[in-house]
């Protein structure tokens, strides 16, 4: 009798352990928690792209006076240079010939700069206070302007320039603006020829090949 009772107790304990084991096994659930759309935005500093005019191609100076000069008897001119503009670029001619301004463009930023476009007005506007206007307008056609950047000359607006070298950080290129008086048409007084804005467009990316 006692033996049967012991056997029953052992069986009950074994059954309880089995049930507990089953309950532990069934409670081992798992769940994955997701952190989605993790993003990091890095803002570029505009100071990394700093291309500006300079008094020379080997200096980072971005302000000053520059002088246009011609051969003996032709004339002269002067202009004020700032980082992104040259104002008052004038030429006073005493005879036919060229007046030349030489300065530079300099890359003072950390990114390479590529020339993509040069804009040059096609004609000048000519005015006079003491000459015959018809003669002035004929002579106005004799006044031309061209620009050379890094040794490449442009005499009209040029887009999609294939600048494969670019300006590296801390380097510059020579810029030469030449104003020419062809002197083909004589005038009976003084006149002033005014051109619109000449502009150079630089980018961190070279122009795509056509």
């Amino acid at each position: 009798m006692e033996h049967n009772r012991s056997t029953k107790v052992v069986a009950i304990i074994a059954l309880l352990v089995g049930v507990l084991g089953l309950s532990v096994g069934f409670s081992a659930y798992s769940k994955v928690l997701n952190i989605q759309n993790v993003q990091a935005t890095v803002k570029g500093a505009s100071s990394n792209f700093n291309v500006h005019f300079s008094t020379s191609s080997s200096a980072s100076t971005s302000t000053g006076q520059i002088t246009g000069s011609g051969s003996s008897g032709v004339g002269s001119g002067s202009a004020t240079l700032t980082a992104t503009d040259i104002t008052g670029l004038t030429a006073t001619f005493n005879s036919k010939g060229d007046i030349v301004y030489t300065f530079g463009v300099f890359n003072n930023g950390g990114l390479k700069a590529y020339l993509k476009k040069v804009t040059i007005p096609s004609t000048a506007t000519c005015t006079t206070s003491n000459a015959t206007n018809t003669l002035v307008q004929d002579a106005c056609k004799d006044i031309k302007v061209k620009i050379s950047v890094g040794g490449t000359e442009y005499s009209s607006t040029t887009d999609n320039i294939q600048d494969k070298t670019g300006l590296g950080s801390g380097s510059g290129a020579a810029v030469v603006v030449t104003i020419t008086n062809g002197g083909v048409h004589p005038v009976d007084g003084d006149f002033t020829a005014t051109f619109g804005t000449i502009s150079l467009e630089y980018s961190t990316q070279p122009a795509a090949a056509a």
Side-chain angles (χ1 to χ4, degrees):
M1 180 76 68
E2 187 66 29
H3 174 74
N4 291 338
R5 184 179 299 173
S6 299
T7 302
K8 290 180 180 179
V9 170
V10 171
I12 292 171
I13 292 173
L15 180 61
L16 289 174
V17 170
V19 171
L20 288 174
L22 287 174
S23 64
V24 170
F26 283 116
S27 66
Y29 296 113
S30 66
K31 184 173 289 186
V32 177
L33 305 180
N34 297 317
I35 300 174
Q36 297 181 336
N37 297 325
V38 177
Q39 294 181 345
T41 299
V42 179
K43 294 186 176 181
S46 59
S47 59
N48 287 333
F49 189 64
N50 182 10
V51 183
H52 58 75
F53 287 127
S54 175
T55 51
S56 76
S57 60
S58 59
S60 61
T61 306
S62 59
T63 59
Q65 296 293 124
I66 55 175
T67 301
S69 59
S71 58
S72 178
V74 173
S76 62
S78 63
T80 301
L81 181 148
T82 64
T84 57
D85 296 285
I86 297 177
T87 57
L89 197 153
T90 60
T92 301
F93 290 96
N94 301 314
S95 64
K96 68 179 183 179
D98 297 331
I99 292 179
V100 179
Y101 285 86
T102 302
F103 47 101
V105 61
F106 195 86
N107 183 1
N108 207 35
L111 298 171
K112 184 171 283 190
Y114 297 90
L115 181 62
K116 295 185 71 173
K117 183 177 182 179
V118 173
T119 302
I120 301 176
S122 57
T123 58
T125 299
C126 295
T127 58
T128 181
S129 60
N130 59 10
T132 303
N133 188 58
T134 54
L135 296 177
V136 167
Q137 297 311 314
D138 286 338
C140 191
K141 301 171 185 176
D142 298 337
I143 309 299
K144 305 294 182 183
V145 65
K146 61 184 178 181
I147 185 171
S148 171
V149 183
T152 302
E153 187 174 285
Y154 305 94
S155 57
S156 60
T157 295
T158 306
D159 205 347
N160 200 45
I161 295 172
Q162 299 299 299
D163 181 3
K164 299 183 184 301
T165 304
L167 280 180
S169 177
S171 63
V175 178
V176 180
V177 175
T178 303
I179 305 171
T180 300
N181 175 19
V184 175
H185 299 87
V187 289
D188 55 358
D190 301 333
F191 73 94
T192 300
T194 304
F195 286 90
T197 301
I198 300 173
S199 63
L200 309 178
E201 180 181 338
Y202 282 88
S203 174
T204 56
Q205 293 290 327

